[in-house]
Every structure is written in C-alpha cells, then in structure tokens.
Amino acid sequence: MRNTRPLAAVTALLCAAGLAFTGTIGAQAAGTGIDTVAPEGFDVTLYDYSIGMDSCATPAANLDTGINKGSNLKFFCSPADDAGDRNVMDRYINRYGRDSGYEFPANGTAERTLNANGYPVMRDDTNHGTITQDLGYLFDSSQHDGKTVYRVANPNLLRDDGDGQYTFDDWWGATYDKASGSFEVVDNGRQGMFFPFDPQGGDWTAKNHYFGMKLTQDFWQPTDGLTLSDKPMKFSFQGDDDVWIYIDGVLVADLGGINIGEATIDLSTGAIHTWKNMLTQAEGGKGYDTTIREQFEKAGVTPDGGFDGDTFADNTGHTLTMFYLERGNYSSTFGLSYNLQPVSYPLTYELNGGSGVNPNKEQ
C-alpha cells in the first residue's frame, strides 16, 4: 500500500471544507484490471445505505429519513454546513474527526469490546452527554428501509504478491458484481477512489457515497509472529470514513469519524499505531500508540493462550474483524495490506518438515 497521506490528507481537508471538485479532479479513470484473490479465512459483507431522498438540496431534511431514521449516527450531505444545521449535528455523535477545533480525539469513539451480538457500540464524549449507538442495525444481516445487504460469495478483493502478502492499494477501485458475487478490481492511478456499487470511471462526486463493509480474517499467530518468509506479521489500513478494527472482539484500532485515517498492527511485537486527520489527535497530531496487550487488558479480556510480551502467544488462532463506513458524501478511499498467516499455517510447517519450526528462520 502506498504512503499517500499527503494526497489523502489534502482531499480530506477539502472535503471537510465542503469544496466540490469539478472538471478533471472529479473525473475518475476507468483503469486497468488487476488479478485478485480471496485469501483463506477471508470474508466480506457489503451494505448499501440510503438516506431516503438522497438529495443534498435541503440536507437537513435527510437527517431522519432512510438509514438515518431514529439513529444517532448520521449519514449526511454537506460537511461544510453540518447538514444544514450545526446545532442538530452537535446533538449527535457525528462531530469527532470532522473539524480540527473539536476536542474529541479519534481514539475512543467506540466501546472496547463488541457487544453480545458481535457489533460495535459507539459512544459520545462526556462534554455532550453519554450518547451511545449500537451499530448492529448497520452491520447485521437484516434488510430494512435504507439498507441492503450483500454477503460476498467470492471476496476476491486482494492481490497476492506470491509470498503471502495481500493488498488492496488505495489508488485502486473495485466494483462489486451482484450477479457473480465477486469484485472487479482496477488500478485507477492517482484518482483511485473506492465506490464498490458503481462502475469504474466517470465523475466520482456523483457516485453512491453511502455504504459500509464488514471484513473478517481468521489467522494463526506463528512463532515469534514471523511468517514463513521470516517477515513480521502485520495488518495495515488507510482510508475513510469510520473504521473500527477488532481482534477476538476487542477493539485494537479506532478510526471513528469523518476523515482519512491510518492504522498499523504489528503482530510480531504487538505495537499498534493509529492516526486520524485532525489536529487534536493525541500526541500533538502524530497519532496514537498502544499495544495489543494494553488494549486487551483495558478491555478486561485475556486471549486464548495468553500473551507473549505485548503480542499474542505463539501458535494460537485469532479472528480480525474490521467495520468500515463511508457516510460523508464526498471522496472515498480504501487501502488494505496484510500478511496474516492462515489457520492452515501449522500444516504448512509440517509440509516443510518443520514440526512447528519456521524452516525459513535461522535457528
């Protein structure tokens, strides 16, 4: 995944300012095709949301229609004027990550564990009262007003570099084919943009901007957190808008809020770094650093097998779950890169004559 923070950050800032691009910047190239695969243990569900009228001529009218009806979390039209009513938006849990003068940091937008049904619960800061939002209505399998669910039969979203590294570059685009249940992935160059319910090419400002995705990846924690190629096992994401990453139901990376963000999880050391495009982000705008062990201990959860330092114990199985929302009605970016080892990893050892010892690692 390319380091596109400068470009993405500028795009996100212009989005926050409500500046509408026209001409060549709004145009998206059709791109060239990329061969992609569905890794072992990888699962994808897509959600197509609607705010009802889907018109931004009178944005405040959409705050209680379609997927917004009866909900605290809002999909909205105009970042510049807070969907037509700044006071209305202040009453909901929608402002973090949306303007640099707001003091709620990106880290901490969701509860530390998934609820009993396996979904995130958002929380507001104490300055505006405790306003929670169970996101099950967005990510469960129910179909209702403003929501259509697509369980992807063939989640061939990622490119395999041949060495167990899987990537969706944030300059690529993908179109979901409802008939085949698979993706067409293309390289759109410097104007990639991620709109899975639209054909590639054309004006990206006019595409379907309200959608979500749930990704799950089962994985095996190998000896020392190193792959068969002796590389640190890592998971990285870059994109917008809201993203929450859980391992075994525990929140390990929180990128809640409208704006671009990044997260890197190093399974070999347990180090986690997140960054959100807002000046009030922790550590003077440089991001937020924690560890897998710290996040689990704060959640009061001990993983199966326990810990090895700040990461998971060797030879244990885990599940990573990522929830993703695009709800700001502007640019949409998505980048993913990881080399998480599949649950068949121990068998791979045996086939290489390892008996649980990495054959590519010097002893």
Side-chain angles (χ1 to χ4, degrees), residues 129-153:
T130 302
I131 304 174
T132 62
Q133 178 71 67
D134 182 340
L135 298 189
Y137 77 103
L138 291 177
F139 294 112
D140 65 17
S141 60
S142 65
Q143 310 264 6
H144 53 74
D145 184 26
K147 175 191 174 190
T148 305
V149 181
Y150 299 94
R151 178 72 180 270
V152 180

Side-chain angles (χ1 to χ4, degrees), residues 169-184:
D169 196 287
D170 55 5
W171 286 353
W172 296 349
T175 297
Y176 175 62
D177 186 319
K178 299 173 184 176
S180 67
S182 61
F183 291 97
E184 177 190 9

Side-chain angles (χ1 to χ4, degrees), residues 2 29-34 159 169 171-173 185-190 192:
R2 294 181 176 90
T32 55
I34 295 173
R159 182 178 67 182
D169 196 287
W171 286 353
W172 296 349
V185 178
V186 301
D187 185 347
N188 288 318
R190 298 179 67 87

